[in-house]
Amino acid sequence: MSPIPGSGLAKGLAVTLRTMTRKTVTAQYPDAQPELPPRSRGVIGLFEENCTVCMLCARECPDWCIYIDSHKETVPAAAPGGRERSRNVLDRFAIDFSLCMYCGICIEVCPFDALFWSPEFEYAETDIRDLTHERDKLRDWMWTVPAPPALDPGAEEPKELTAAHKTADKLAAASAAASAAPAPAADEPGQPGQEAGE
């Protein structure tokens, strides 16, 4: 059976008429701030105490928008006779947000949790050169990073915590058994010991 000529046009106009009769809902930004999803990607914050200058984030960045400079420092031996060690010290950590494509690879590959997503998105600049955020500005974004979501109450406990609880329970049981056991009575001076069979 062939469709009635013009039925597609009538259906389209019906959708248009239904939409025209509904009240529009427009968020008046910036007066009304949008409700962002919990894992929205705004800007990247740096927790520089965790950064070991391993350079993984800069190497894995597909846009090459992360700039890291560091130098080596010698740490004296902790114990006499020990050897000195060298460690990397962070001099510069910058992200050029005019190049960043917000893929999140740098955050995923960081083995020490030094980079985090912040939901802040209002950092537009009139000069493109100001979109390169140095480590001080990246550190300021850390205060806007939301707390991680609570663990699922029905989830299994992590294996590390289970092992730690077992070890703590064993130590507590051993110390309780040691304190509950009576100490062997020693002979007091001046009193004769009892012979066997008495």
Side-chain angles (χ1 to χ4, degrees), residues 15 35 38 42 87 163:
V15 171
E35 290 185 12
R87 68 181 178 101

Side-chain angles (χ1 to χ4, degrees), residues 40-191:
S40 59
R41 297 179 177 189
V43 71
I44 298 170
L46 170 69
F47 189 57
E48 70 178 88
E49 284 81 2
N50 286 358
C51 183
T52 61
V53 199
C54 66
M55 307 289 279
L56 271 176
C57 54
R59 282 197 301 254
E60 296 295 329
C61 178
D63 291 333
W64 294 89
C65 65
I66 299 176
Y67 312 112
I68 301 175
D69 293 330
S70 66
H71 69 276
K72 287 194 178 288
E73 275 186 3
T74 303
V75 180
R83 67 182 179 100
E84 294 180 340
R85 299 189 180 270
S86 65
R87 68 181 178 101
N88 288 327
V89 177
L90 185 66
D91 292 330
R92 181 184 186 217
F93 194 107
I95 299 177
D96 187 353
F97 285 103
S98 65
L99 295 176
C100 180
M101 64 180 191
Y102 303 90
C103 63
I105 292 175
C106 56
I107 295 171
E108 295 296 324
V109 300
C110 181
F112 301 105
D113 289 335
L115 297 172
F116 295 89
W117 278 120
S118 165
E120 295 295 320
F121 60 91
E122 298 175 312
Y123 53 95
E125 300 287 348
T126 55
D127 189 351
I128 196 170
R129 290 171 291 191
D130 294 334
L131 284 173
T132 300
H133 293 183
E134 297 292 335
R135 69 178 182 175
D136 295 335
K137 194 163 187 181
L138 294 174
R139 175 60 180 251
D140 290 341
W141 291 121
M142 273 304 297
W143 306 116
T144 62
V145 172
L151 296 176
D152 185 4
E156 293 181 5
E157 190 177 47
K159 295 177 183 176
E160 296 84 2
L161 285 178
T162 305
H165 288 314
K166 285 182 181 177
T167 305
D169 292 341
K170 286 180 184 177
L171 291 174
S175 64
S179 64
D187 291 337
E188 292 183 11
Q191 290 186 354

